[in-house]
Amino acid sequence: MNLALMMPLAERTAVLIVAALLFTRVRAFRSILNQQATWKEKAVMVLIFSAISILGTYNGIWYQDAIANSRVIGTVVAGLLAGPWVGLMTGLIAGIHRYSLGGFTDLACAISTISEGLIAGLIYQFRRNRQQEIGWTTALIVGFIAEWMQMGIILLVARPYADALALVQFISIPMSVVNSLGIAILVIIIDLVKKEEDRIGALQAQRTMQVADKTLSYLREGLTYTSARKVAEEILRTTRVAAVAITDTETVLAHVGAGSSHHVVGEGITTKATQAVLDTREVMIARNREEIGCKESNCPLRYAILVPLMRRREVAGVLKLYQDRSRKLSAVDLELVRGLGNLISTQLELAELEKQSRLLADAEIKALHAQINPHFLFNALNTIVSFIRFRPEQARELLIHLGEYFRRNLHDSGGYVSLAEELEHIEAYLAIERARFGEKLHVKYDIERDMESVIVPGLILQPLVENAVKHGLLPKREGGTVLIKAKRLDHKTLELTVADNGVGMATDPFAAPLNQKAGKRRLSGIGLSNVKNRLQSVYGLPYGITIESVVDEGTTCVITLPVGVNASAKSIHRG
């Protein structure tokens, strides 16, 4: 073994490995480690490894008009790391450079450099197809083979042959040993960098989940002063940053931590960096106070990462993590704020969808409240007119009931009422119907004690009672009875029942309407469907409405819903 060449070559290889270690800090390099590099980033990788190879050539040792060097490290690692195209292009650039330096081995070295990069890339492709990692042992073997292939090409191409043979005898063992070890060491370093990336990703994911677990509920109402402040406080507690701020497109919604004395909540956006993110919709890293652009001369904030918050493909605001002089923002902080930005943006989208869903539900509720059946109105007025001459007091009571009925139908609260209020609405409707049909219509109530104060969605029972009267009892010659029940199944579930002993029906009431001329019962679609949809939208499973019906025996509608907050409600008299 030629120790006279071995030691200086090893020293130069060590310098090359240190230079390569510095290159691992380049973002494009880290992207390709996770097999996420774009063609642009792969081009950057070609330039990086070409630079390493060229440095290996310049750092070599001249011997008999040839160079004992570590050029192979850059080309082989490029191929093993990024595939045949990166390996080939790196070898081509480094080979052309070597050829330009001249010497009797210039062509042989150029050919071998290109071949080494291509072969290393093909080995990468082969291992990847088999879903196998490139370990240091593989790198060591490939490096050793590449060097001996270079020696063979020198013997085949370089002339005079005697000089080529003497050169190979002198440099073959030192270069094959040192360079193959250098390739293996560099692969080990790259593997450590990749593990560091995985560790950063895992830590970022852990912190993101911690923040998400405690903040998602705050964002259900969208980006408000309250939600922004709570999210910012949680991020500040979870991370090691100096300050956290959240803005919308015009105003500072929250700023907690350092700088809060002049980054005042409610004021307009003052930093240039924030405005730049709103304009460009891109992540921005401010590395000094000037880039942050704060107008306050004594601002303690020195570094910042700013991420746009998106909603419906439009910028809704900016999330900002600041750091002071104590420490710089790390790669973990960058990945964390990216993840949190995406998370908050997603939650804002969901909040917007939920808001639209609520608006739609409210519109349906208001439509039901505003629904006036003209036939009912005309029939009620005719009944009252007939009562005015002979039963004026009863006519007066019916007018009060009619006014109460429409007042509640037109009331736009669209929200929740006590069960007592819902029963009052039903009673107003039933008073008019009893006046019209007399003994054909009977009503019974079975309300458990203390149930009247339970909160329920408005107009949840009245459509069912109206269906029972119109389509269950009135088609029956002798009429019948409507039973309205309310009882607690357990400590958290309320059961409401509307049952009649009318004509019944033979099909699913939520299916297409039946042909009334065929003698089948047809329910009022909008009312019943609205009840069903509202229950599903507000409460979800296992709550809802079930309907059982038997022809000529009657129909029973049962609503189950969670027991809400009690509200004070007066008891009412029902007869």
Side-chain angles (χ1 to χ4, degrees):
M1 184 177 291
N2 193 341
L3 294 178
L5 181 61
M6 181 80 73
M7 293 308 296
L9 189 61
E11 291 173 358
R12 286 165 170 76
T13 301
V15 172
L16 194 66
I17 290 174
V18 171
L21 179 60
L22 295 177
F23 278 123
T24 62
R25 314 315 297 175
V26 177
R27 182 178 172 184
F29 193 101
R30 292 175 174 266
S31 295
I32 210 168
L33 292 181
N34 296 314
Q35 298 180 351
Q36 297 173 340
T38 63
W39 281 105
K40 181 179 178 180
E41 289 171 331
K42 287 185 178 181
V44 174
M45 295 298 292
V46 169
L47 295 178
I48 290 174
F49 284 110
S50 297
I52 293 173
S53 297
I54 292 171
L55 179 61
T57 300
Y58 279 128
N59 206 33
I61 301 170
W62 282 91
Y63 176 78
Q64 293 183 356
D65 200 28
I67 306 173
N69 60 82
S70 300
R71 180 175 57 253
V72 69
I73 292 178
T75 54
V76 169
V77 173
L80 292 177
L81 183 64
W85 285 108
V86 174
L88 177 63
M89 295 305 297
T90 302
L92 186 63
I93 294 173
I96 292 173
H97 171 265
R98 171 62 188 90
Y99 183 77
S100 68
L101 297 179
F104 79 102
T105 62
D106 53 359
L107 181 59
C109 289
I111 295 173
S112 63
T113 301
I114 297 171
S115 302
E116 288 162 353
L118 179 59
I119 290 173
L122 292 174
I123 291 174
Y124 159 88
Q125 194 70 46
F126 176 78
R127 301 279 289 191
R128 183 181 180 184
N129 291 340
R130 291 173 171 257
Q131 297 182 340
Q132 296 174 335
E133 295 287 336
I134 302 291
W136 69 269
T137 53
T138 301
L140 181 70
I141 295 171
V142 172
F144 198 81
I145 293 173
E147 280 295 359
W148 281 102
M149 182 184 70
Q150 179 179 357
M151 300 306 155
I153 293 174
I154 290 174
L155 291 176
L156 289 173
V157 176
R159 293 294 180 269
Y161 178 78
D163 291 345
L165 179 61
L167 176 66
V168 169
Q169 289 174 341
F170 183 76
I171 68 172
S172 58
I173 293 179
M175 284 184 61
S176 60
V177 172
V178 172
N179 288 342
S180 58
L181 286 173
I183 291 170
I185 292 171
L186 188 54
V187 167
I188 291 173
I189 291 173
I190 291 172
D191 186 57
L192 292 175
V193 171
K194 187 174 182 179
K195 289 180 179 178
E196 180 189 6
E197 285 288 294
D198 293 340
R199 182 187 64 82
I200 290 174
L203 183 58
Q204 178 264 337
Q206 181 183 12
R207 289 186 177 180
T208 302
M209 291 305 296
Q210 288 176 351
V211 174
D213 184 54
K214 297 182 179 179
T215 61
L216 288 183
S217 60
Y218 303 146
L219 294 168
R220 291 181 64 88
E221 298 301 320
L223 204 56
T224 64
Y225 285 103
T226 302
S227 64
R229 176 178 56 80
K230 291 181 178 180
V231 170
E233 289 173 347
E234 190 57 43
I235 295 175
L236 187 67
R237 278 194 295 268
T238 307
T239 61
R240 297 182 296 166
V241 297
V244 178
I246 298 176
T247 75
D248 58 16
T249 56
E250 298 178 351
T251 310
V252 178
L253 299 179
H255 186 105
V256 294
S260 56
S261 60
H262 58 279
H263 291 275
V264 180
V265 173
E267 291 189 352
I269 295 171
T270 58
T271 60
K272 296 178 181 178
T274 304
Q275 194 59 53
V277 172
L278 289 173
D279 294 338
T280 63
R281 306 182 182 186
E282 295 181 356
V283 177
M284 179 177 178
I285 301 176
R287 295 177 175 81
N288 52 57
R289 193 177 68 178
E290 288 70 26
E291 290 185 2
I292 293 175
C294 181
K295 298 177 182 178
E296 180 66 34
S297 58
N298 297 323
C299 182
L301 306 176
R302 291 294 181 272
Y303 316 99
I305 303 174
L306 302 91
V307 175
L309 303 177
M310 308 298 294
R311 181 177 58 209
R312 290 190 171 187
R313 299 183 181 179
E314 296 293 333
V315 179
V318 179
L319 170 65
K320 302 180 283 187
L321 267 64
Y322 290 106
Q323 195 53 272
D324 54 20
R325 295 178 184 273
S326 62
R327 58 180 288 270
K328 293 185 177 181
L329 290 164
S330 65
V332 175
D333 296 325
L334 176 59
E335 293 304 315
L336 174 65
V337 75
R338 285 178 184 274
L340 289 174
N342 291 333
L343 184 72
I344 294 173
S345 296
T346 301
Q347 190 60 27
L348 291 178
E349 289 279 0
L350 294 175
E352 184 68 18
L353 291 174
E354 187 173 339
K355 178 181 177 182
Q356 295 300 321
S357 178
R358 287 199 302 268
L359 290 175
L360 180 61
D362 289 343
E364 290 178 350
I365 293 171
K366 290 179 180 180
L368 181 62
H369 275 272
Q371 183 180 238
I372 299 177
N373 188 324
H375 296 292
F376 172 75
L377 176 60
F378 295 148
N379 291 334
L381 290 175
N382 286 333
T383 301
I384 293 171
V385 168
S386 67
F387 276 47
I388 287 176
R389 178 174 295 182
F390 302 106
R391 303 181 198 175
E393 285 300 318
Q394 190 172 356
R396 177 178 175 277
E397 290 181 5
L398 290 176
L399 280 173
I400 293 173
H401 286 305
L402 183 63
E404 178 68 15
Y405 173 82
F406 284 119
R407 183 185 70 82
R408 292 185 182 275
N409 257 35
L410 296 172
H411 192 267
D412 65 350
S413 63
Y416 297 82
V417 298
S418 68
L419 181 58
E421 291 174 311
E422 179 71 3
L423 293 174
E424 285 177 351
H425 188 204
I426 294 171
E427 186 63 24
Y429 165 76
L430 290 174
I432 297 169
E433 294 291 58
R434 277 196 297 261
R436 288 179 60 206
F437 299 104
E439 295 301 319
K440 288 185 66 176
L441 176 59
H442 303 277
V443 182
K444 292 183 178 179
Y445 293 92
D446 183 6
I447 310 299
E448 277 191 0
R449 186 176 181 181
D450 298 329
M451 286 294 96
E452 291 184 346
S453 60
V454 172
I455 297 299
V456 297
L459 283 180
I460 203 72
L461 287 178
Q462 192 275 335
L464 304 184
V465 173
E466 187 171 343
N467 274 314
V469 173
K470 290 171 60 178
H471 304 296
L473 300 182
L474 298 186
K476 195 173 181 180
R477 177 175 298 181
E478 67 274 21
T481 302
V482 176
L483 173 63
I484 302 170
K485 294 176 59 177
K487 67 177 182 178
R488 190 190 296 266
L489 294 183
D490 51 46
H491 68 284
K492 62 179 182 179
T493 305
L494 174 66
E495 182 181 271
L496 304 174
T497 303
V498 175
D500 67 77
N501 59 352
V503 297
M505 55 184 172
T507 59
D508 183 357
F510 296 116
L514 296 172
N515 186 347
Q516 204 166 3
K517 293 182 179 180
K520 301 295 184 180
R521 173 175 170 185
R522 179 183 181 274
L523 296 185
S524 299
I526 185 172
L528 196 61
S529 297
N530 191 288
V531 171
K532 176 188 176 184
N533 293 337
R534 286 167 62 201
L535 289 171
Q536 290 180 345
S537 175
V538 174
Y539 301 116
L541 296 175
Y543 305 105
I545 180 172
T546 60
I547 298 179
E548 295 182 359
S549 186
V550 179
V551 176
D552 296 329
E553 292 186 14
T555 301
T556 301
C557 301
V558 179
I559 292 175
T560 55
L561 65 163
V563 176
V565 180
N566 284 348
S568 59
K570 59 183 180 180
S571 297
I572 60 174
H573 173 72
R574 297 183 264 308

